[in-house]
Amino acid sequence: MSNMLTRVAEIVSRMTIRDVAREAGVSVGSVSRALNGGKNVSARVARDVAAAAEKLGYQPDLQARSLRTRTTGMVGCLVSDVANPLYASIVQAAEARLRDAGLLMVVANTANDPARERAVVAAFRSRRLDGMLVAPGSDENDRAWRELAAGGAPVVILDRDVPHEEDTPWPAVLVDHREGARTATRYLIGLGHRRIALLTPGARMRPGRERIAGFKAAFAEADVDPAGALVCLQESSMDFAQGDALELLRRDQRPTAIIALGTRILAGALRAARDLGLSIPADLSVIAVGDTDLAAVHSPAITALRWSLEDVGRAAAELLLQRLRGTGEGPSRALLPVDLVLRESCAPPTAK
Amino acid sequence: MSNMLTRVAEIVSRMTIRDVAREAGVSVGSVSRALNGGKNVSARVARDVAAAAEKLGYQPDLQARSLRTRTTGMVGCLVSDVANPLYASIVQAAEARLRDAGLLMVVANTANDPARERAVVAAFRSRRLDGMLVAPGSDENDRAWRELAAGGAPVVILDRDVPHEEDTPWPAVLVDHREGARTATRYLIGLGHRRIALLTPGARMRPGRERIAGFKAAFAEADVDPAGALVCLQESSMDFAQGDALELLRRDQRPTAIIALGTRILAGALRAARDLGLSIPADLSVIAVGDTDLAAVHSPAITALRWSLEDVGRAAAELLLQRLRGTGEGPSRALLPVDLVLRESCAPPTAK
DNA sequence: TTGTAAGCGTTATCAC
DNA sequence: GTGATAACGCTTACAA
């Protein structure tokens, strides 16, 4: 019994810097200096302190250190849903880079709920996180953004247009969805398509808005009838997309090509095509927005717009680190390219 | 200029409990009591303090509070890769539950590197996190697990068998992969299959080991030739799986059914079948382990083993919260079921 | 009920 | 170079 208690005590009671100081026969100040900078410490003290720390299994309390240094070594990451592959890869890459820099990452999902966003921002602020990566669910949540700015900690926005004070845009990593959509659309128009449907979730967020803009821009440039540019706003659910696509493909003047976002909407469109006996690419050309497993594995393989989520995460981490170190400003925004990966799902429309 | 400075000062300099005390005309102790328990405070003080806090925009420094209370309000989550959909959903669900309980979650990816695992465990410990959720990349990393135990903070293991001291198994959330694999195999045997291939990554981790055990158990129970149970260890790469499956399906005595893990391996197997002109399910039956988009959307739709990742995350969070609150032990392990979702990819083998 | 003061474990500022 | 000692912002006995 007493044996057990001893063991528990051994395990639980943590060694403090004072214990180390006593063991090494020096002052706490010396221990701190020896363990940190290594500056202004004699070789003897350095050695004794290291030995004592090792012997006692001392591990500094970073929590306490934070109180003094006013830096927590943690950054927050606010996304709507880490389980969404789109965010998961970004978070993954950012975390890797930040951990290499010795920082821990705190994640919080908001499910696109403005109230939660505010709560998370407040929580991050109260916990004094050194910085944050944010991908809000909507661009409109003024109270949250004011809080964000008031926090004083560096912030990097992930592929969103968050409103800002006049002349101080938020540092951000942006993806060039507009140019991507334009390229894809131009490609389809080049193949001879004149009625193309863009299946995308609402224009509430930057990526959707930019895609729609690029889509329309391609039609305008090519000088073809803009009425052929069919924008179909989608809930991000497979069933919903399937229903919508069915309706769309049954029309008299059905589109001869579809540009569909992500896994769910793409899957819905593919199912609809199958249900109607339309073969790809003979009867219908398809381009996926975002290169998912499904696009790559489907037969025929689906031509897709691809951008690097890892790059987004890495760039965001880099931007944040730059601000944290306060080293000469450098660029505060990054615009990442989108590529069109040609596969087997597009062909000229069959004459009618 | 001075205007700007003032504004910056307003923004950056944080209000402390002393500021609130001064503003409200009470002592810091009273402020603390008023803001926390609300116990032993007169209505007047409560009102004045609330007003002062509101007016000054006071937000308590949770970092400082932690130092006193010895609790950080944060839990760590160690996984090999949050971008892996398998973990992403678990992390998502756990985070949701924990945040509801007022806790923040710190994530760290280890890429299955034992050294990183140790580093992460140490970092979590140094930061004095209240508890942790752990899914190691391998069950063998003794130094890390000792550190983990030494930390003293409650730990919940995610679907792994981490070695433990004699009589104190780690609290854990386990998935019944063994029973799942057994059910799937039994189903195929019932359809008449006698040569079945199990494509799964190594047996280094619990899920793989359990699946193999269940697979073999089904053969043993059914009293059919155990030589028909083909275990094919896979890298988790599509190309590799495709090559392997090709080799497998070209054999004289090729398997008439395949059980394949996840998206990548499943995709490889499907491609191999297509390349060889094998139609599913006429020539080859297929069962997916894990219900992915690919399985649901493929034509024919793939019969799959499914378990709830959300439940894993939720259960883990629940188990951890229970320990954190120290409320009477309760069960320390959860075993979650695996279901077989019947779709269109399985049929009796064609006579040969 | 309220105020005072002693920490929590560090780091940083001083004299020496 | 080294050792006291004062913060950091908060909670919590303990006194009043």
Side-chain angles (χ1 to χ4, degrees), chain A:
Chain A
M1 171 64 178
S2 92
N3 203 336
M4 188 174 135
L5 280 182
T6 313
R7 186 160 146 238
V8 167
E10 259 176 38
I11 289 176
V12 157
S13 91
R14 351 204 59 124
M15 295 290 119
T16 80
I17 201 174
R18 296 164 121 65
D19 298 314
V20 179
R22 194 177 313 118
E23 176 75 25
V26 298
S27 74
V28 292
S30 293
V31 175
S32 177
R33 280 184 296 254
L35 259 30
N36 295 324
K39 202 63 190 163
N40 280 358
V41 277
S42 69
R44 192 187 63 75
V45 170
R47 180 172 42 76
D48 291 356
V49 167
E54 167 68 17
K55 176 178 171 194
L56 268 42
Y58 169 72
Q59 288 191 296
D61 184 327
L62 268 37
Q63 197 77 6
R65 174 187 309 199
S66 298
L67 190 56
R68 264 314 306 228
T69 61
R70 325 279 327 152
T71 130
T72 55
M74 302 188 297
V75 320
C77 180
L78 180 160
V79 295
S80 68
D81 175 14
V82 272
N84 181 332
L86 227 62
Y87 297 120
S89 295
I90 295 178
V91 169
Q92 203 277 342
E95 195 274 339
R97 179 66 189 90
L98 291 171
R99 199 171 32 63
D100 281 351
L103 299 171
L104 283 186
M105 185 160 108
V106 178
V107 303
N109 301 108
T110 60
N112 284 350
D113 174 356
R116 283 198 182 177
E117 287 182 347
R118 284 202 301 277
V120 168
V121 169
F124 283 1
R125 188 181 172 191
S126 266
R127 291 247 170 31
R128 305 292 188 254
L129 303 195
D130 292 344
M132 27 211 300
L133 267 22
V134 234
S138 132
D139 296 340
E140 278 129 41
N141 197 349
D142 281 356
R143 284 180 50 195
W145 313 147
R146 250 197 301 279
E147 257 291 308
L148 202 57
V155 173
V156 172
I157 305 290
L158 300 169
D159 210 13
R160 295 288 185 279
D161 288 323
V162 172
H164 56 267
E165 309 284 316
E166 299 137 32
D167 48 343
T168 58
W170 297 94
V173 175
L174 275 7
V175 175
D176 202 349
H177 301 290
R178 181 188 301 233
E179 185 57 24
R182 204 168 124 225
T183 304
T185 310
R186 197 190 290 145
Y187 169 64
L188 288 171
I189 291 176
L191 284 175
H193 294 273
R194 289 299 175 269
R195 286 187 308 283
I196 307 176
L198 176 71
L199 271 56
T200 175
R204 224 181 27 160
M205 292 188 280
R206 184 192 128 89
R209 278 198 304 268
E210 292 288 304
R211 280 185 203 116
I212 293 172
F215 180 59
K216 291 189 168 159
F219 269 79
E221 287 164 19
D223 201 28
V224 300
D225 185 356
L230 280 39
V231 174
C232 310
L233 267 30
Q234 302 283 310
E235 298 285 330
S236 184
S237 136
M238 187 166 81
D239 295 337
F240 192 85
Q242 184 177 2
D244 251 37
L246 274 171
E247 189 273 324
L248 193 69
L249 294 173
R250 277 202 190 108
R251 289 187 197 168
D252 280 352
Q253 294 282 328
R254 72 164 177 84
T256 57
I258 280 187
I259 304 178
L261 179 94
T263 294
R264 323 303 289 269
I265 295 176
L266 173 65
L270 291 174
R271 285 207 165 177
R274 181 170 51 130
D275 291 353
L276 293 174
L278 297 175
S279 88
I280 297 170
D283 303 322
L284 183 69
S285 290
V286 175
I287 293 184
V289 177
D291 195 14
T292 62
D293 280 325
L294 174 61
V297 158
H298 191 269
S299 34
I302 309 289
T303 291
L305 285 171
R306 170 165 63 189
W307 61 99
S308 167
L309 298 171
E310 289 72 25
D311 283 352
V312 174
R314 249 192 308 268
E318 216 63 65
L319 231 48
L320 190 60
L321 287 170
Q322 193 182 98
R323 320 248 125 201
L324 288 177
R325 289 169 182 150
T327 111
E329 295 304 309
S332 75
R333 320 203 105 204
L335 184 65
L336 272 32
V338 173
D339 294 324
L340 183 64
V341 182
L342 297 179
R343 292 202 267 247
E344 311 153 5
S345 62
C346 295
T350 50
K352 259 226 193 144

Side-chain angles (χ1 to χ4, degrees), chain B residues 252-263:
Chain B
D252 279 351
Q253 293 282 328
R254 72 166 177 83
T256 57
I258 279 186
I259 304 178
L261 179 94
T263 294

Side-chain angles (χ1 to χ4, degrees), chain B residues 188 193-199 215 219 227-232 244-259 273 276 278 281-286 349-350 352:
Chain B
L188 289 171
H193 295 272
R194 289 300 174 269
R195 286 187 308 283
I196 307 176
L198 176 70
L199 272 55
F215 180 59
F219 269 80
L230 279 39
V231 175
C232 310
D244 251 36
L246 274 171
E247 189 274 325
L248 194 69
L249 295 173
R250 277 201 190 109
R251 290 188 196 167
D252 279 351
Q253 293 282 328
R254 72 166 177 83
T256 57
I258 279 186
I259 304 178
L276 294 174
L278 296 175
D283 304 321
L284 183 70
S285 290
V286 174
T350 50
K352 257 225 194 143

